[in-house]
Amino acid sequence: MAPTDDDGRTAQDTYPVDTTPPAGPPAAGAAAPGARMPRWLPRAMVLALALIAAFQLGSWAFHQLTGLLINILIAFFLALAIEPAVSWMASRGTRRGVATFLVFLGLAIAAAGFVTLLGSMLAGQIIKIVEDFPDYLDSVINWVNHTFHTDVKRVDVQEGLLHSDWLRKYAQNSAAGVLDVSGQVLGGLFQLLTITLFAFYFAADGPRLRRTLCSVLPPARQAEVLRAWEIAVDKTGGYLYSRGVMALISGIAHYILLEALGVPYAPVLGVWVGLVSQFIPTIGTYLAGALPMLIAFTVNPLYAVWVLVFVVIYQQFENYMLQPKLTSKSVDIHPAVAFGSVIAGTALLGAVGALIAIPAVATLQAFLSAYVKRYDVTDDPRVHGHPRRGTGGPGLFTRVRRLIWQRPAEDSREGSV
């Protein structure tokens, strides 16, 4: 009920004549008349836009510099690999820059000699294949005529090939792809020069680089950085050592096979198989085995089959017998971890990631092992893979035997009742 006055009428607020009643309170969420924008809001908007622009710029710059960063990463691991040789020469009185130059010069001479021998071998075999191609074609035509009772002549086959559309299109595409191949070769040479230059600086100025890093860190952190650097050098060197040993064993094994079959250039082919299969990840085995098969085919087609069988068998022996033992001794990581790290490295960085994955994971594992607290393992049979007797209940065989013998006894008791 509305309040009333003494006369029984409803009480109302009265205001003087010609005056405006006061406005009520503003509704919820509505801005008060004359309110200003908060001072922090424009600065927050500008800051947010600046952060978004900085993120976009950083993302664009990272994608543009991905190739350079990968080259620097390869150069760093290459410098770690030659660090023991450079340090050994420097400890004998040779200046570090000169020692680094001598190491790179030896690697360049070895690579140039290998490429020269391989190029001469390939050139000779290509010339031989081209010269013997008519004989191969005649043998194939004779086999086809004898098997399918046809009358195919080599002249008809040659004219059909020369006037075919696919040969003309192939020649046009090859001519158009010459510039692409030239660009790729120049790009590869520039990339090789970049990696070599950075690796030279990393190896020659290794002590200065370590001092620079340690100068911005407290003493406790300096010891950790130096320890991590030392572990990286040891693990990378051990990984390359294991790869070198496997390349030597693989090269000798394939050389013996090729020499026994009478395949020409057996020493060069053995070196080719050893180096390519070990230092080119993922597809190195197939590239290494393809060339000996091709050369063996020029001698006898059956020899190519023997080479293929030997490559497959030796690859299985290396994967399951040789590589796990050498990797576990030199790099000190489990074979399953090594295999998983190679897969992860390939997924992240491709062939480069597969090549540096094992030394990187070995370095990280050895560095973090100092911060993992370990305890003495209890002397329990289950630790050694043996079941604990007396507490695990009857075994499966015992339970099955009881079930078989108890069921007839229960049935006989029910029948007698």
Side-chain angles (χ1 to χ4, degrees):
M1 179 180 296
T4 60
D5 54 8
D6 296 339
D7 297 334
R9 294 175 302 181
T10 302
Q12 295 180 351
D13 294 334
T14 60
Y15 300 96
V17 181
D18 298 334
T19 59
T20 303
R36 293 184 177 180
M37 180 185 298
R39 295 182 178 180
W40 57 267
L41 186 57
R43 288 180 292 180
M45 295 175 62
V46 172
L47 181 59
L49 293 176
L51 291 177
I52 294 174
F55 175 78
Q56 295 292 336
L57 181 61
S59 178
W60 172 80
F62 178 79
H63 285 87
Q64 294 296 323
L65 297 177
T66 301
L68 177 61
L69 295 177
I70 293 177
N71 292 338
I72 293 176
L73 183 63
I74 298 173
F76 178 72
F77 274 94
L78 179 59
L80 293 179
I82 66 174
E83 176 74 19
V86 174
S87 299
W88 181 82
M89 296 177 66
S91 63
R92 298 300 191 276
T94 307
R95 295 180 58 183
R96 194 171 183 87
V98 177
T100 306
F101 174 76
L102 293 177
V103 172
F104 273 100
L105 181 62
L107 293 176
I109 292 175
F114 174 72
V115 171
T116 302
L117 291 176
L118 185 64
S120 62
M121 180 196 67
L122 289 177
Q125 291 301 316
I126 290 173
I127 293 174
K128 183 178 179 181
I129 291 175
V130 172
E131 292 178 350
D132 296 341
F133 181 76
D135 297 334
Y136 294 142
L137 185 59
D138 288 339
S139 62
V140 172
I141 291 174
N142 292 332
W143 179 81
V144 170
N145 292 333
H146 178 74
T147 304
F148 300 100
H149 305 286
T150 57
D151 189 15
V152 180
K153 297 181 180 179
R154 189 178 69 180
V155 178
D156 300 334
V157 175
Q158 292 177 349
E159 290 181 355
L161 290 175
L162 292 176
H163 295 88
S164 61
D165 294 335
W166 71 267
L167 183 61
R168 178 176 54 81
K169 293 181 180 179
Y170 178 77
Q172 293 176 355
N173 295 332
S174 300
V178 170
L179 295 178
D180 296 337
V181 173
S182 302
Q184 292 178 0
V185 171
L186 293 177
L189 292 177
F190 180 76
Q191 185 178 5
L192 179 61
L193 179 62
T194 303
I195 293 173
T196 304
L197 186 62
F198 276 106
F200 181 86
Y201 285 143
F202 285 149
D205 293 339
R208 184 185 303 176
L209 179 59
R210 288 190 287 269
R211 288 195 300 269
T212 303
L213 292 176
C214 292
S215 63
V216 297
L217 298 174
R221 299 298 181 185
Q222 294 179 12
E224 293 179 359
V225 170
L226 295 177
R227 178 174 171 270
W229 195 292
E230 183 180 3
I231 291 174
V233 171
D234 293 338
K235 296 303 179 180
T236 304
Y239 172 71
L240 291 180
Y241 166 77
S242 63
R243 286 291 174 178
V245 172
M246 287 191 293
L248 179 63
I249 297 175
S250 177
I252 293 175
H254 288 84
Y255 163 73
I256 293 175
L257 172 69
L258 297 174
E259 189 69 25
L261 295 177
V263 178
Y265 304 102
V268 180
L269 290 175
V271 175
W272 162 266
V273 173
L275 293 179
V276 173
S277 63
Q278 301 303 322
F279 291 99
I280 296 182
T282 308
I283 62 173
T285 302
Y286 307 103
L287 292 177
L291 184 60
M293 289 174 54
L294 179 62
I295 305 301
F297 183 82
T298 61
V299 179
N300 190 338
L302 184 60
Y303 289 171
V305 178
W306 284 108
V307 172
L308 176 61
V309 172
F310 183 81
V311 168
V312 173
I313 294 176
Y314 181 83
Q315 187 65 29
Q316 302 305 314
F317 165 75
E318 181 181 283
N319 291 338
Y320 295 100
M321 298 292 295
L322 186 62
Q323 182 175 354
K325 293 183 178 180
L326 290 177
T327 303
S328 61
K329 291 182 179 180
S330 60
V331 190
D332 195 19
I333 61 176
H334 194 272
V337 178
F339 181 71
S341 63
V342 170
I343 295 177
T346 305
L348 292 175
L349 298 176
V352 176
L355 187 61
I356 66 177
I358 293 180
V361 171
T363 301
L364 182 62
Q365 175 181 324
F367 181 73
L368 294 179
S369 62
Y371 302 95
V372 178
K373 188 176 181 180
R374 298 182 182 274
Y375 301 91
D376 294 334
V377 181
T378 180
D379 189 11
D380 194 300
R382 290 171 293 183
V383 175
H384 306 284
H386 304 295
R388 188 176 180 181
R389 298 180 179 179
T391 59
L396 178 62
F397 179 74
T398 304
R399 292 196 296 267
V400 173
R401 185 178 61 181
R402 289 179 181 177
L403 181 63
I404 294 176
W405 287 100
Q406 288 177 0
R407 182 58 61 82
E410 293 176 358
D411 297 340
S412 61
R413 287 197 297 269
E414 292 177 358
S416 60
V417 174

